[in-house]
Each structure stands twice: as structure tokens, then as C-alpha cells.
Amino acid sequence: VTGNEPKMFFWNENRFELDRHNVVQFDQSQQPIIYKGLLVISAENPIKIHTPFADIELGRSKAMIHVLDNKVRVLSLAGEGIKVISRGAQDDPQFLLPGFQNWYGGIDQGVSDIGVVTVIDLLEYAKQRAPFFMNYQQGIRVELNQVAGAVKWAAQIASQLHRQLVERKVAALENVHQKVLKKEKQNIQYNHYLRKLFLKKIRYDY
């Protein structure tokens, strides 16, 4: 337990920055388990972080992890991105590129409870991150600029994905519309054909 002051330590050349009241333990294989609290990890070497709701794997990456009572929030801040394996969805890991975030709630009624990937809220991130720098102000401006760049890039990617989604939806609707028009045209042609047969039959009968 970290107590009332932010703490920082290095483990396997990876830097851990913990906010107040974190609960951290290392298991038998020396992998960290985060039970509670907010922390930032700057990884130089591959590392796997365990939480009650998901496992987070980092390469050369930086992440903010916030373990709450009913979920864990994961923010990919910089580097290569991070992989998150939610409880109940081990066969379907999620990859968060820098600038993106999501939450993971473990298993709810037998179903994996996962949020929707969104762009990091830079203001909210800055508010949560600022207390870490109370005892060492240097570095916060550099980090905020770095994260702001990642968020800007993520917003552009999200906008492109949204536009592609909209375009696909419009194309799908247009395709359905064309199918309806084609079917209506075929029905009209078929009705004309039946009418001709009917008229022909009448003439034949007469």
C-alpha cells in the first residue's frame, strides 16, 4: 500500500509511478498485481500487469492504469501500444494504440463487460496525472505534450474510422435501396408480362 504520498520505483528497468492509496503485490513469478488505485507504467522491457478485471501487456510503451471497485480503466499514452486481455474474453484481446483508452469490467452475468474504445480525454488525463508530479515538477510538460500529440493522432484516426463507417453504412443502405428498386422493377415487368399473357388469352378465346 502506497499511503498518502505518490511513490515511484523501478522494477526490471520499468518505471512504476503510483498515486495515493494503491495496493500492489508481486506474485510468485514476480509479475505485478494491481488491486486498487491509479498508476503510470513506463515500460522498457515487456511486462504483464494483472488486475481483477483484465491483464495488460506492455512492450516499450507507457500506460495509465486505474483500478476501481468494478472495472479497470486503461489509457495508452505512448510507445508501441498495449494489449488488454479482459476476463472472460481471453481469446479476443484488445489492442490500444497511443491516444486511445477503454475500460474493462471483467465478467457480468457470464458475459465479458467491456467499454467502447475512445480517444483519451486530455483534460481529464491531465487532472489525474498532475498530482504525481508534486515532488518532481520536471517532466510533466514534456509528457503532456507527448500525450497531446498521441491524442491528436488518435482523434484523426477515429475521425477516419467514423467516416469509413458512415460511408459503409450509406453504401449498405444504397445497396438495399437499389435491391428494392430492382425488385420493384422486376415486379412491374412481371406484371406487364402477365397482362400481355392475359390479353393474348382473351384474344385467343375470342
Side-chain angles (χ1 to χ4, degrees):
V1 182
T2 56
N4 294 323
E5 293 294 331
K7 297 261 191 319
M8 181 180 73
F9 67 90
F10 285 86
W11 179 79
N12 194 25
E13 298 184 16
N14 300 319
R15 186 173 72 182
F16 286 69
E17 298 175 73
L18 293 85
D19 198 8
R20 302 164 181 81
H21 308 301
N22 278 258
V23 179
V24 182
Q25 179 185 356
F26 286 85
D27 63 16
Q28 292 179 345
S29 59
Q30 291 300 298
Q31 290 185 330
I33 307 171
I34 314 298
Y35 292 103
K36 178 183 178 183
L38 179 67
L39 69 152
V40 172
I41 301 171
S42 303
E44 291 295 326
N45 294 311
I47 183 173
K48 189 172 187 178
I49 310 295
H50 300 282
T51 77
F53 310 104
D55 294 332
I56 301 107
E57 295 183 8
L58 294 83
R60 291 178 61 89
S61 304
K62 193 171 190 174
M64 176 182 276
I65 301 170
H66 192 186
V67 181
L68 301 163
D69 290 337
N70 60 347
K71 62 186 174 183
V72 57
R73 290 180 61 244
V74 183
L75 289 73
S76 181
L77 305 179
E80 302 170 350
I82 55 181
K83 183 166 76 171
V84 185
I85 306 165
S86 175
R87 298 281 181 266
Q90 285 87 351
D91 296 332
D92 189 21
Q94 195 170 78
F95 193 77
L96 295 177
L97 294 171
F100 288 97
Q101 65 180 4
N102 202 3
W103 61 263
Y104 306 86
I107 302 174
D108 183 20
Q109 296 181 351
V111 179
S112 187
D113 191 18
I114 302 174
V116 176
V117 176
T118 59
V119 177
I120 290 172
D121 184 330
L122 190 59
L123 182 59
E124 183 64 27
Y125 159 77
K127 286 179 181 178
Q128 292 184 322
R129 182 61 167 137
F132 286 80
F133 290 89
M134 288 177 63
N135 296 327
Y136 47 104
Q137 290 294 336
Q138 67 276 14
I140 187 170
R141 186 171 296 178
V142 173
E143 179 174 306
L144 287 178
N145 286 337
Q146 184 183 45
V147 175
V151 167
K152 182 179 179 181
W153 177 84
Q156 292 172 347
I157 295 297
S159 177
Q160 291 173 9
L161 290 174
H162 178 70
R163 185 169 65 251
Q164 290 172 4
L165 254 149
V166 170
E167 288 172 354
R168 283 199 208 105
K169 185 68 175 175
V170 170
L173 290 172
E174 179 63 24
N175 188 38
V176 170
H177 179 62
Q178 290 299 328
K179 284 182 178 179
V180 170
L181 289 179
K182 184 178 180 181
K183 188 167 182 62
E184 288 178 350
K185 186 177 180 181
Q186 288 174 341
N187 287 337
I188 291 171
Q189 290 173 343
Y190 184 65
N191 287 335
H192 283 175
Y193 173 71
L194 289 178
R195 187 168 180 272
K196 283 181 182 179
L197 284 179
F198 179 71
L199 291 174
K200 187 176 180 182
K201 185 176 187 307
I202 291 176
R203 291 196 200 98
Y204 177 78
D205 288 343
Y206 277 102

